[in-house]
Amino acid sequence: MSVEHRRGTSAVTVLGADGVPLADTDVTVEQKRHAFAFGNIGFDFIPLANAETDGEGRSSAFGAASVEGLAELSELWFDVFNTATLPFYWRGFEPVEGSPDTDRLLTAARWFADRGVTVKGHPLTWHTLAPEWLTERPLDEIEKLQRERIRREVSNFAGVIDTWDAINETVIMPVFTAERNGISRLARSIGRIPMVRLAFEEARQTNPAATLILNDFDLSSAYECLIEGVLEAGIHVDAIGLQTHMHQGYWGEEEMLAMVDRFARYRLPLHLTETTLVSGHLMPPEIIDLNDYQIPSWPSTPEGEARQADEIERHYRSLVGHPAVQAINYWGLTDDGAWLGAPGGLVRSDGTPKPSYDVLKALVKEEWWVPPTVVRTDAQGQLTVTGFFGDYELSAHGRTARIELTPDSDTGRAQLG
Amino acid sequence: MSVEHRRGTSAVTVLGADGVPLADTDVTVEQKRHAFAFGNIGFDFIPLANAETDGEGRSSAFGAASVEGLAELSELWFDVFNTATLPFYWRGFEPVEGSPDTDRLLTAARWFADRGVTVKGHPLTWHTLAPEWLTERPLDEIEKLQRERIRREVSNFAGVIDTWDAINETVIMPVFTAERNGISRLARSIGRIPMVRLAFEEARQTNPAATLILNDFDLSSAYECLIEGVLEAGIHVDAIGLQTHMHQGYWGEEEMLAMVDRFARYRLPLHLTETTLVSGHLMPPEIIDLNDYQIPSWPSTPEGEARQADEIERHYRSLVGHPAVQAINYWGLTDDGAWLGAPGGLVRSDGTPKPSYDVLKALVKEEWWVPPTVVRTDAQGQLTVTGFFGDYELSAHGRTARIELTPDSDTGRAQLG
C-alpha cells in the first residue's frame, strides 16, 4: 500500500530573527519527529530512568531487561521510537494497598517525555494482574477502588502521560476464569459496557485532554459487537486498540488489513497497541492462551531473524499504508526479559540489533524520514518542505525554527530565533 | 437438575353450573397443555394445512417432508409439541417482489392455532435467504423494504402469530461473506444495534402484544457483547434465542448449562430456538459452517438412534430443569426432507418413531403430565390440583371447566359449564 497519504508539502516563508523574510538563503531542513506513533514498551528503562543499579525494582511479566547495558539499549530505542508504553498493572503498581509506585513511574515517564517521547500508560482497568488484595472485597468497594485508582493515576501523571489504555480486554473480562480476581467479578456483575463507561468517564473527567483507548486482543466479531454497544451507549472513545501478538506466526498483509478494515468502519483512529513477531520457532497453533506456552529456552535463530525482518517490513509498510492506523506499538525492544521468554525483540539478549531492527530503522528514519537537507529560499524567502507528517527544524546562520507538517499545513511561516 | 420449579399446586373450589360448590363429588382432572414451550418446526405441514396434494408448494432448505403421510406425521407432532415455528424466510416468502405467500402461511398458522398450538414466525430479519431482488438496491431502499416487510407480516398474522424471531444471527450479519446480500450490506453500513432496533421497533409498534426474540447461533462472548449493547441501547427484548444445532455431537449437560448460565445473567427468558441431535454418524468437527457438509446419504442407524434417545432425554431434563429456560424448539420431526439431509428427526423417513420420539413423549406427556385423574372434592367443594404449570380441564356430570396452573395460582375457582 502507498504511504503517500502520510506525506505533505508546505510552502514555508522563512523569517530571520528580525521578522524579515530570508531571501535567497541556504536553509537546512531536518525532520525531528514523526506524527505517526512508532511506539514500543518502555518498561525496561524504568530502572535506568530511576538510576537504579540493582535489579530490585525490576518489573515483572513483560519487558524487564537486565540493568546492565540499559544505557546502550536506550540509544537503540530512541533511534527508532517516539512513543513509550509504561506499565500500570495494578498488582505491580500498588502491591500494598495505599502504596502506589507513583514516584518511580513518574520519574520514568518524565525521562521519556524529556527526550521528546509521547508516553502512554497501560492499562487503567484490567482483570489480569488486578491486586490480590482486591479479589474478595464487596463489589461496590471494588468499583469504588477501581474508580479512585483511575482518578489517582490520571491525575498524578497528567501533563506527562496524556494517553491511556482506559480498559484492557473487556470482551473476556466477565468470563475470564484463569484466575479469580476482583475486576472480573465486577464486570460479570455490572456488565461490559458499564465497565467501559466507568473507565472512560473517570479518566475523561480527570484529564479532559487525554487520549483514551479501548484495547483488546479479541479481534473477532465479539470486539465489533462490544465497540458498537459502547458507541451506541454514547461513550467517547478516542482510539480503538488492537493487540497483535503474533507468536504463532505473522498473519500476512491480507488478513491483517482485512481485520483493520473491519475496525476502520467505526471511523475512529486505530492503534496497533501490542505487536510481536518472533525471530525463533513459532508457538504451536493449538495454544489458545499464549501464557500457557512456557518453555525453558526459546532461542532467536538466523533463519528466524531473517523471517522476522521480512515480516517487520511487510507489517509496518502495510499498516502505515492504511489511513485509519495512527499508531503501531511494538511489544519489547530486546529479547532479554521479554514476555514469555519469546525472541520477539528487535535486539538480541546480548544487546546486538537483529536484522528486524535495521529494517525498521531504515523505514522510520531513512525511507520515511527527511535527513538534514539544504534548501535555498526564493526571492520572497519561501522554500518547500515535503515529507512525512511531523516536526521539522529549519536552521540558518546558527538560528533555528520548528514547523509542523500536517494534512492542513499547505503554507506556513517560520521565524528563526 | 430438579424440575420442581416447573410444578405448582392449587386449591380449587369447583362450582356447578349453578354456581354452588360441588361438595363430595368425583371430578376428573386432566392436563391439556404445558405452559413450557415444547416446540418443533411446522414447516412440513404447510401443504397439509393447505390441502395441497402435490409437492409444488413444498418449501425449501428446512423441513420439507413428502406430502404423502403428512396426516399421520401430524398426529405424532401434536402428541408431543405445543409450539410450532413457521418459515418466513424472505426469499421464499416473497420470491417475486410484491407477491408474498401470505394466504398459504396464514392458513397453516391458523391450522396450528386451531389445534391449540402457539405459532411462532421465523425470522423477520436475516441476511441468509434474503431476496435476490433486494441485493443491489440502494441502502436506504433496503432499509425501507425491510421495515415494510416486518410491518406487513407482523400485522397480517397478528392474533395468529404473536411470537417472532425479530432478527436472526445478528453477530455475523455485517461480516457474512458466503453470499452477497442486501441485509448484510445494510447491517455493515448502519451497524448491528441499529439493525436490531429496526427489527424490534417495527415489530413492536405493529403488534405491541408480540413476544419478540433476538436469535443467534453464535453463543460466544460476541453474542454476550451484542446483547449487552442492545440492552444498554434500551431496546426491549422479550427473550434471548439460543440455537443449538448439534450435528457435530451433543455438548453434554455441563457445557450446555454453563452456556445457559452465561445468558441467564441478562435476566430474560431463554428460548432454545433450534435444537438438533442426530441419530446417525456425527458431522466432522472441522466443519465450521454446517451448510458446508453435503453428503449424498446420511442414514439413521440403530446405534445412532440409541445415542440420540439418551441425549434427547438428558438435553430436555437439564434444560427444563434450568429456571431461565422458557422454550425448547426442536428442529424437525422427521428425517424426510430434513435440513442438510441429516438424521436429526425424532421420526424416521418411513414415518416410524425413533426411540428419541418415545423418550421425549414419555417425558412431556407422562412423567411431566397429569393424565385424567379422578379427585374427590371435600365438603366445601375444594380439591387440589398438582402438576406442571399449564392448562387443566376439570369435568364432572358431563360438564367441564378449564383452569390454569401458574406460579401465582395457589387457589382458584372453576365453574363447570
Side-chain angles (χ1 to χ4, degrees):
Chain A
M1 287 175 89
S2 161
V3 295
E4 274 308 303
H5 58 281
R6 302 272 174 211
R7 292 162 54 86
T9 291
S10 184
V12 180
T13 303
V14 184
L15 312 175
D18 55 2
V20 176
L22 283 184
D24 303 315
T25 306
D26 280 345
V27 176
T28 302
V29 176
E30 178 183 3
Q31 187 171 358
K32 303 300 284 186
R33 192 171 199 285
H34 273 292
F36 190 95
F38 292 103
N40 205 328
I41 55 172
F43 303 4
D44 303 287
F45 303 107
I46 298 170
L48 180 65
N50 283 274
E52 294 164 5
T53 50
D54 55 24
E56 270 184 45
R58 203 165 154 159
S59 62
S60 61
F62 314 105
S66 323
V67 174
E68 303 75 37
L70 278 184
E72 295 73 18
L73 192 66
S74 75
E75 289 178 22
L76 293 173
W77 200 102
F78 289 111
D79 277 350
V80 175
F81 300 103
N82 64 8
T83 302
T85 298
L86 287 183
F88 285 82
Y89 305 109
W90 197 357
R91 185 180 300 174
F93 185 75
E94 192 176 2
V96 176
E97 189 176 1
S99 301
D101 202 13
T102 308
D103 293 346
R104 192 160 163 272
L105 266 290
L106 199 47
T107 299
R110 286 190 179 127
W111 183 81
F112 275 109
D114 289 346
R115 285 155 180 80
V117 167
T118 302
V119 190
K120 174 187 165 182
H122 166 85
L124 290 169
T125 313
W126 195 27
H127 49 278
T128 300
L129 298 181
E132 285 166 1
W133 50 258
L134 189 72
T135 308
E136 302 301 339
R137 300 290 175 91
L139 288 175
D140 56 351
E141 193 180 332
I142 292 176
E143 179 173 343
K144 177 171 159 285
L145 289 165
Q146 172 65 65
R147 288 181 181 274
E148 286 173 355
R149 117 92 165 177
I150 294 174
R151 288 199 298 272
R152 180 184 63 193
E153 268 65 282
V154 173
S155 170
N156 284 338
F157 288 81
V160 186
I161 299 184
D162 297 319
T163 303
W164 292 95
D165 284 332
I167 190 164
N168 197 34
E169 307 186 350
T170 318
V171 169
I172 204 176
M173 188 173 279
V175 293
F176 178 81
T177 54
E179 184 187 55
R180 182 173 169 82
N181 70 90
I183 302 303
S184 286
R185 286 181 58 216
L186 179 61
R188 187 154 179 124
S189 168
I190 69 175
R192 293 174 175 90
I193 295 174
M195 284 300 300
V196 173
R197 183 184 287 122
L198 172 168
F200 277 76
E201 283 185 357
E202 293 295 344
R204 183 81 62 201
Q205 284 167 14
T206 309
N207 182 356
T211 297
L212 301 179
I213 299 154
L214 181 69
N215 192 43
D216 218 299
F217 75 90
D218 186 331
L219 307 181
S220 74
S221 288
Y223 195 30
E224 297 176 39
C225 290
L226 175 71
I227 292 167
E228 292 176 30
V230 163
L231 298 181
E232 278 281 338
I235 300 169
H236 170 192
V237 173
D238 294 303
I240 295 172
L242 308 166
Q243 298 183 23
T244 52
H245 292 291
M246 294 181 280
H247 297 74
Q248 293 168 311
Y250 177 50
W251 304 350
E253 294 92 336
E254 192 179 350
E255 186 178 332
M256 185 65 65
L257 291 174
M259 180 279 288
V260 166
D261 277 340
R262 277 193 295 118
F263 291 99
R265 71 189 204 266
Y266 304 115
R267 299 175 190 282
L268 286 170
L270 302 181
H271 288 203
L272 280 287
T273 49
E274 309 181 20
T275 290
T276 307
L277 287 161
V278 296
S279 68
H281 70 265
L282 300 180
M283 187 187 290
E286 64 270 18
I287 303 285
I288 306 274
D289 182 341
L290 303 185
N291 292 290
D292 291 341
Y293 187 69
Q294 303 283 354
I295 51 172
S297 168
W298 192 347
S300 187
T301 62
E303 319 82 69
E305 291 184 359
R307 187 193 65 229
Q308 184 199 39
D310 174 62
E311 292 168 351
I312 283 283
E313 177 169 358
R314 294 165 58 195
H315 189 59
Y316 276 79
R317 277 194 193 282
S318 56
L319 289 178
V320 171
H322 196 292
V325 177
Q326 196 176 64
I328 307 173
N329 296 312
Y330 199 76
W331 202 255
L333 180 59
T334 173
D335 288 353
D336 182 24
W339 180 42
L340 304 173
L346 308 176
V347 172
R348 301 182 192 98
S349 288
D350 65 7
T352 57
K354 300 180 190 174
S356 58
Y357 179 88
D358 298 328
V359 158
L360 184 57
K361 186 177 173 185
L363 287 174
V364 174
K365 286 299 185 67
E366 292 175 28
E367 185 174 328
W368 297 338
W369 188 255
V370 177
T373 307
V374 174
V375 185
R376 194 160 180 86
T377 58
D378 65 13
Q380 282 72 46
Q382 202 174 69
L383 55 71
T384 297
V385 179
T386 297
F388 260 56
F389 298 128
D391 298 339
Y392 289 77
E393 189 180 79
L394 278 51
S395 56
H397 310 318
R399 294 177 180 272
T400 63
R402 197 102 167 187
I403 64 156
E404 197 181 350
L405 207 57
T406 73
D408 307 317
S409 56
D410 291 348
T411 60
R413 291 157 65 91
Q415 182 163 0
L416 303 180
Chain B
M1 287 175 88
S2 162
V3 295
E4 274 308 305
H5 58 282
R6 303 272 174 211
R7 292 163 54 88
T9 291
S10 184
V12 180
T13 303
V14 184
L15 312 174
D18 56 2
V20 177
L22 282 185
D24 303 314
T25 306
D26 280 345
V27 175
T28 301
V29 175
E30 178 182 3
Q31 187 171 356
K32 303 301 284 187
R33 195 171 197 284
H34 273 293
F36 189 94
F38 292 103
N40 206 328
I41 56 172
F43 303 3
D44 303 287
F45 303 107
I46 298 170
L48 180 66
N50 282 274
E52 294 164 5
T53 50
D54 56 22
E56 272 184 42
R58 204 166 153 157
S59 62
S60 61
F62 313 105
S66 323
V67 174
E68 302 74 39
L70 278 183
E72 294 74 19
L73 192 66
S74 75
E75 289 177 22
L76 293 174
W77 199 103
F78 290 111
D79 276 351
V80 175
F81 301 103
N82 63 10
T83 302
T85 298
L86 286 182
F88 285 81
Y89 305 109
W90 197 357
R91 185 180 300 173
F93 185 75
E94 192 177 2
V96 176
E97 189 176 1
S99 301
D101 202 13
T102 308
D103 292 346
R104 193 162 162 269
L105 266 289
L106 200 47
T107 300
R110 285 190 179 128
W111 183 81
F112 275 110
D114 289 347
R115 286 156 179 78
V117 167
T118 301
V119 190
K120 175 188 167 182
H122 166 84
L124 290 169
T125 313
W126 194 26
H127 49 279
T128 300
L129 298 180
E132 285 166 0
W133 49 260
L134 190 72
T135 307
E136 301 302 340
R137 300 290 175 90
L139 289 175
D140 56 351
E141 193 180 332
I142 292 176
E143 179 172 342
K144 177 172 159 286
L145 289 165
Q146 173 65 66
R147 287 180 181 274
E148 287 173 356
R149 118 92 164 176
I150 293 173
R151 289 199 298 272
R152 181 185 62 193
E153 268 64 283
V154 173
S155 169
N156 283 339
F157 288 81
V160 185
I161 299 184
D162 296 319
T163 303
W164 293 94
D165 283 332
I167 190 164
N168 197 33
E169 307 186 350
T170 318
V171 169
I172 204 176
M173 188 173 279
V175 293
F176 178 82
T177 54
E179 183 186 56
R180 181 171 168 83
N181 71 89
I183 301 303
S184 287
R185 286 180 59 217
L186 179 62
R188 187 154 179 124
S189 167
I190 69 176
R192 292 175 175 91
I193 295 174
M195 285 299 298
V196 173
R197 184 183 286 119
L198 171 168
F200 277 76
E201 283 185 358
E202 293 296 344
R204 183 81 62 200
Q205 283 167 16
T206 308
N207 182 356
T211 296
L212 301 179
I213 299 153
L214 181 69
N215 192 41
D216 218 298
F217 75 90
D218 185 331
L219 307 181
S220 74
S221 287
Y223 195 29
E224 297 176 38
C225 290
L226 175 71
I227 292 168
E228 293 176 28
V230 162
L231 297 181
E232 279 281 337
I235 300 168
H236 172 191
V237 173
D238 294 303
I240 295 173
L242 308 166
Q243 298 183 23
T244 52
H245 292 291
M246 295 181 280
H247 297 74
Q248 293 169 311
Y250 177 49
W251 305 350
E253 294 91 336
E254 192 178 353
E255 186 177 332
M256 185 66 64
L257 291 174
M259 180 279 287
V260 166
D261 277 340
R262 278 194 293 117
F263 292 99
R265 70 189 203 267
Y266 304 116
R267 299 176 189 281
L268 287 171
L270 303 181
H271 287 203
L272 280 286
T273 49
E274 308 181 20
T275 291
T276 307
L277 287 161
V278 295
S279 68
H281 70 265
L282 300 181
M283 187 187 290
E286 64 271 17
I287 303 284
I288 305 275
D289 183 340
L290 302 185
N291 292 290
D292 291 340
Y293 187 69
Q294 303 282 353
I295 52 173
S297 167
W298 192 346
S300 186
T301 63
E303 319 82 69
E305 292 184 358
R307 186 193 64 229
Q308 185 199 37
D310 174 63
E311 292 167 352
I312 283 283
E313 177 169 359
R314 293 165 58 196
H315 188 60
Y316 277 79
R317 278 194 192 283
S318 57
L319 290 177
V320 171
H322 195 292
V325 177
Q326 196 175 64
I328 307 173
N329 295 313
Y330 200 76
W331 202 253
L333 180 59
T334 172
D335 287 353
D336 182 24
W339 180 41
L340 304 173
L346 309 176
V347 171
R348 301 183 191 97
S349 287
D350 66 6
T352 56
K354 300 181 191 174
S356 58
Y357 179 88
D358 297 328
V359 158
L360 183 57
K361 185 177 173 187
L363 286 175
V364 173
K365 287 299 184 67
E366 292 176 28
E367 185 175 330
W368 297 336
W369 188 256
V370 177
T373 308
V374 174
V375 185
R376 194 162 180 86
T377 58
D378 63 14
Q380 283 72 47
Q382 202 174 69
L383 55 71
T384 298
V385 179
T386 297
F388 260 56
F389 298 129
D391 298 339
Y392 289 77
E393 189 180 80
L394 277 51
S395 56
H397 309 318
R399 295 177 179 271
T400 63
R402 197 102 168 189
I403 64 158
E404 197 182 348
L405 207 56
T406 72
D408 307 316
S409 57
D410 290 349
T411 59
R413 290 157 66 92
Q415 181 163 0
L416 303 182

